[in-house]
Amino acid sequence: MYDLIIIGGGPAGLTAGLYGARGKLKTLILEASMEGGQMNNTLSVENYPGIQEGGSGMELGMRMADQAKEFGAEIRHEEVVEVDLDGKIKKVKTDKETYEGRTVIITTGAKPRKLGVPGELEFANRGVSYCATCDGAFYQDMDVYVIGGGDAAVEEGDLLTKFAHHVYIVHRRDELRAAKSLQDRVFNNEKVTLIWDSVLKEVKGDKIAEEVVLENVKTKEVSSHKSTTDSKGIGIFIYVGYEPKTDFLQGKLALDDKGYIKTDGKMQTNVEGVYAAGDIRSEGVKQVVTAVGEGATAALMVTKYLSNNL
Ligand SMILES: Cc1cc2nc3c(=O)[nH]c(=O)nc-3n(C[C@H](O)[C@H](O)[C@H](O)COP(=O)(O)OP(=O)(O)OC[C@H]3O[C@@H](n4cnc5c(N)ncnc54)[C@H](O)[C@@H]3O)c2cc1C
């Protein structure tokens, strides 16, 4: 019997594990893959306080895992496939075992939705990115293609103008879906060009991305775009939504219409003794620093809940 079972070993889960174990709770972290979560896809985490030189995401994840283990958190590499969250004792079933815990924190994160076009995965982190806040600075003076027309695409497109030589927002329709105030920002920015009615067909290159192939969905015209002479290269930022990892939670607790877990400001879900933190939460900004803060908050709330329910 564990005091606390954490599902997911990204920054939110590992921090919850550190706080739980340091608070003398018998703590288990279940991680389907490698500790660190999405940070493992990040070449350099430059916006995490205290890491001025920008350490790799994988290194940061390993250090967080070591720290949690140092205080006694147990980490098992198993995928959670089913949960029973009713009652005082929660049951968490993995591909190997069933565990029992008095509380559960869910930190299974979200992943950027992929387009599935040729070259997208091949050039991931080598010209193709899913996070301007994270990777924008690597595209200094380059021509950047932002794919999408929602809030994220337009907001991040606007942000990218701080770094890029020029930003092209490629949208499959002839008007943006983003909030009007965001639209005004890019319409009034001379570093942004909108490419309407178009979709990304392919990313080409050698060691890094060098060419973007677009198709006009109305005329079916295919066009190829390389970096312009006065830019330093090419980048592609894809914003076609996020997918929460909550398949095993359907019907078990309150999710929003996109499948993210609803919580209050103390990370408490609608089920007693069950908390959620990080990218999986309905609210929030999807960054390492916020995932870590929410993981700590959830674990501290668990400590309080357990001491009130002895
Ligand atoms: C390419 C990229 C670059 C980024 N760069 C930055 C950056 O520079 N700075 C920044 O602040 N943020 C960055 N981010 C965002 C940041 O990585 C995330 O906000 C953060 O990792 C969220 O942490 P999390 O713990 O909530 O979830 P995640 O990091 O998604 O971790 C969730 C973990 O849960 C595990 N899991 C999922 N389902 C199960 C299951 N059923 N059973 C067991 N385990 C499960 C997953 O394997 C994963 O390890 C980047 C994201 C991406 C994709």
Side-chain angles (χ1 to χ4, degrees), residues 12-33:
L14 293 172
T15 309
L18 161 68
Y19 271 71
R22 194 164 178 267
K24 303 285 178 216
L25 303 181
K26 189 170 183 226
T27 301
L28 171 66
I29 301 172
L30 294 166
E31 167 53 53
S33 164

Side-chain angles (χ1 to χ4, degrees), residues 145-181:
Y145 289 79
V146 174
I147 315 298
D151 285 349
V154 174
E155 191 165 5
E156 300 278 80
D158 182 53
L159 173 82
L160 280 163
T161 59
K162 291 193 182 137
F163 310 103
H165 170 258
H166 199 83
V167 173
Y168 299 87
I169 298 181
V170 179
H171 187 40
R172 65 196 157 115
R173 301 190 203 286
D174 57 7
E175 58 181 356
L176 297 171
R177 272 187 300 111
K180 186 78 179 61
S181 56

Side-chain angles (χ1 to χ4, degrees), residues 92-309:
V92 177
K93 187 177 170 202
T94 71
D95 45 358
K96 297 196 179 115
E97 291 273 350
T98 299
Y99 300 95
E100 289 187 340
R102 297 166 67 204
T103 59
V104 172
I105 300 179
I106 302 163
T107 60
T108 43
K111 51 180 183 193
R113 190 169 288 137
K114 306 277 186 297
L115 269 177
V117 298
E120 179 184 13
L121 294 185
E122 189 184 342
F123 295 107
N125 285 328
R126 294 184 296 133
V128 175
S129 172
Y130 300 85
C131 179
T133 315
C134 321
D135 297 340
F138 301 127
Y139 292 83
Q140 191 74 43
D141 299 326
M142 295 195 190
D143 284 334
V144 166
Y145 289 79
V146 174
I147 315 298
D151 285 349
V154 174
E155 191 165 5
E156 300 278 80
D158 182 53
L159 173 82
L160 280 163
T161 59
K162 291 193 182 137
F163 310 103
H165 170 258
H166 199 83
V167 173
Y168 299 87
I169 298 181
V170 179
H171 187 40
R172 65 196 157 115
R173 301 190 203 286
D174 57 7
E175 58 181 356
L176 297 171
R177 272 187 300 111
K180 186 78 179 61
S181 56
L182 287 173
Q183 294 193 26
D184 288 345
R185 272 200 246 162
V186 292
F187 289 147
N188 295 326
N189 190 330
E190 58 182 18
K191 283 180 89 176
V192 178
T193 300
L194 274 298
I195 302 182
W196 300 112
D197 299 317
S198 297
V199 292
L200 179 66
K201 286 297 275 184
E202 187 173 356
V203 179
K204 291 182 178 173
D206 183 16
K207 290 194 172 68
I208 56 168
E210 289 165 357
E211 188 178 341
V212 173
V213 181
L214 304 178
E215 184 188 58
N216 184 301
V217 289
K218 286 188 175 155
T219 64
K220 300 293 171 204
E221 188 192 337
V222 174
S223 55
S224 174
H225 304 256
K226 293 189 175 174
S227 70
T228 48
T229 40
D230 44 358
S231 94
K232 288 190 174 160
I234 209 162
I236 303 100
F237 283 76
I238 298 174
Y239 291 103
V240 291
Y242 274 84
E243 287 170 19
K245 296 186 187 166
T246 45
D247 295 349
F248 66 100
L249 294 169
Q250 300 297 326
K252 307 280 180 177
L253 80 183
L255 306 176
D256 69 13
D257 54 359
K258 292 185 179 140
Y260 291 87
I261 301 173
K262 289 185 182 178
T263 71
D264 64 15
K266 293 177 177 172
M267 312 302 137
Q268 162 82 59
T269 70
N270 68 321
V271 178
E272 200 181 315
V274 180
Y275 300 76
D279 280 14
I280 199 66
R281 258 186 3 107
S282 183
E283 306 290 328
V285 292
K286 298 184 175 38
Q287 289 287 284
V288 174
V289 73
T290 46
V292 159
E294 292 178 12
T297 305
L300 291 171
M301 290 305 125
V302 160
T303 311
K304 205 168 167 186
Y305 167 83
L306 287 173
S307 60
N308 289 340
N309 287 276

